[in-house]
Amino acid sequence: MTEHRLTARELDIMSALWELGEATVNELRDRVDPQLAYTTVSSVVRLLELKGYVSHKQGEGKTHVYYPVIAPESAGSSALGRVLDKIYGGSPVKLLAHLLEDRKVSEEELARMRGLLKSSRKKR
């Protein structure tokens, strides 16, 4: 799998695109942070396009409509790997412990996690 490294701002914009499906720079700015300058959002979107993470089609007039080219999972895998390595010293146990201590996890989610752990153990 190709590693997609996104800055925090790039991730904000990609998240909005994944949620919306496609959007103009103005729509992205409104979704991410209406206080951002149009030029800031436009610059980040152009960088994402240069990296091959988004593409565009012609909208009305001179407006471009942007859409994601990469799936959220490909960026998520890379980001999670960096968090795991840099914050939790590569330990999935420490990451899981933090997650369980920091978030309310439903019984249904806990059961799903147990199932994933069991199936992972069987694959080894």
Side-chain angles (χ1 to χ4, degrees):
M1 177 185 292
T2 303
E3 185 172 312
H4 300 289
R5 291 184 163 261
L6 297 168
T7 66
R9 182 66 70 207
E10 288 172 340
L11 185 56
D12 290 342
I13 289 174
M14 289 302 300
S15 295
L17 278 174
W18 288 320
E19 186 177 327
L20 296 169
E22 61 182 33
T24 64
V25 171
N26 275 325
E27 291 167 337
L28 289 169
R29 185 186 63 183
D30 290 345
R31 179 61 63 106
V32 171
D33 182 353
Q35 301 302 313
L36 284 173
Y38 176 93
T39 54
T40 299
V41 176
S42 179
S43 293
V44 173
V45 171
R46 279 184 277 131
L47 282 172
L48 287 167
E49 191 166 25
L50 286 172
K51 290 180 176 183
Y53 300 169
V54 304
S55 191
H56 74 272
K57 61 185 180 182
Q58 194 64 41
E60 292 183 33
K62 294 182 180 181
T63 304
H64 288 156
V65 177
Y66 295 91
Y67 57 91
V69 175
I70 62 169
E73 296 80 13
S74 64
S77 177
S78 173
L80 183 58
R82 291 194 325 257
V83 167
L84 182 65
D85 291 342
K86 295 190 182 298
I87 297 174
Y88 298 100
S91 171
V93 173
K94 288 180 182 178
L95 173 65
L96 181 59
H98 183 114
L99 177 68
L100 293 173
E101 291 169 5
D102 195 47
R103 306 266 179 165
K104 288 191 178 213
V105 181
S106 71
E107 286 300 319
E108 184 178 296
E109 290 171 316
L110 284 171
R112 174 85 171 114
M113 287 180 190
R114 285 185 197 98
L116 290 169
L117 289 169
K118 283 181 185 177
S119 69
S120 174
R121 187 172 44 203
K122 288 178 185 176
K123 291 178 184 174
R124 292 177 185 228

